[in-house]
Amino acid sequence: QVQLVESGGGSVQVGGSLRLSCAASGLTFSSYTMGWFRQAPGKERDLVSAMGWSGDSTYYSDSVKGRFTISRDNVKNMVYLQMNSLKPEDTAVYYCAAMLGRTANWVRPYLYDYWGQGTQVTVSS
């Protein structure tokens, strides 16, 4: 019954912006750490950003810090990733993921319990 559904991906020029959304259902949303991962063809799936269940802890990879902002709404069961100043190296499939409880070691994909289907982001020069 648990579902994570991403939306908001697309194609954008260098320097443009996109806002990704993830709708969660079938779980107690406020009990989960939420993360955004991305995976380019032939590359590993890496954590881009994450936010703890209480919203008081956040993570950003060095490559996106200052450009991306994660947020969550525990009433609407939504998590968002605002992406500004996009670069070609941001091109990837972006996945929403949920980890029950703890934030420790949240960069490790295998610690997340649920995953969305992914949404493509393409940044062109």
Side-chain angles (χ1 to χ4, degrees):
Q1 288 188 338
V2 174
Q3 288 188 321
L4 303 177
V5 181
E6 303 97 333
S7 62
S11 298
V12 66
Q13 296 286 338
V14 169
S17 297
L18 287 172
R19 187 187 189 227
L20 305 184
S21 299
C22 174
S25 61
L27 75 168
T28 303
F29 183 73
S30 61
S31 297
Y32 285 80
T33 293
M34 300 299 298
W36 286 98
F37 288 78
R38 67 186 182 188
Q39 186 170 27
K43 305 295 184 180
E44 295 183 347
R45 187 173 297 186
D46 293 324
L47 181 64
V48 176
S49 184
M51 177 171 283
W53 63 271
S54 66
D56 60 354
S57 298
T58 57
Y59 168 89
Y60 296 97
S61 68
D62 290 341
S63 63
V64 309
K65 190 174 297 184
R67 300 187 297 120
F68 291 10
T69 303
I70 190 171
S71 60
R72 67 188 293 165
D73 187 332
N74 286 351
V75 175
K76 298 181 178 179
N77 291 357
M78 298 285 291
V79 61
Y80 308 95
L81 186 68
Q82 178 66 46
M83 306 185 295
N84 298 326
S85 302
L86 284 163
K87 304 175 180 179
E89 53 262 44
D90 296 320
T91 296
V93 176
Y94 284 70
Y95 297 90
C96 177
M99 176 200 301
L100 181 62
R102 69 177 187 175
T103 58
N105 303 123
W106 54 7
V107 301
R108 300 180 178 181
Y110 55 84
L111 294 180
Y112 287 76
D113 300 290
Y114 304 106
W115 293 84
Q117 82 286 357
T119 185
Q120 177 71 48
V121 171
T122 302
V123 185
S124 301
S125 301

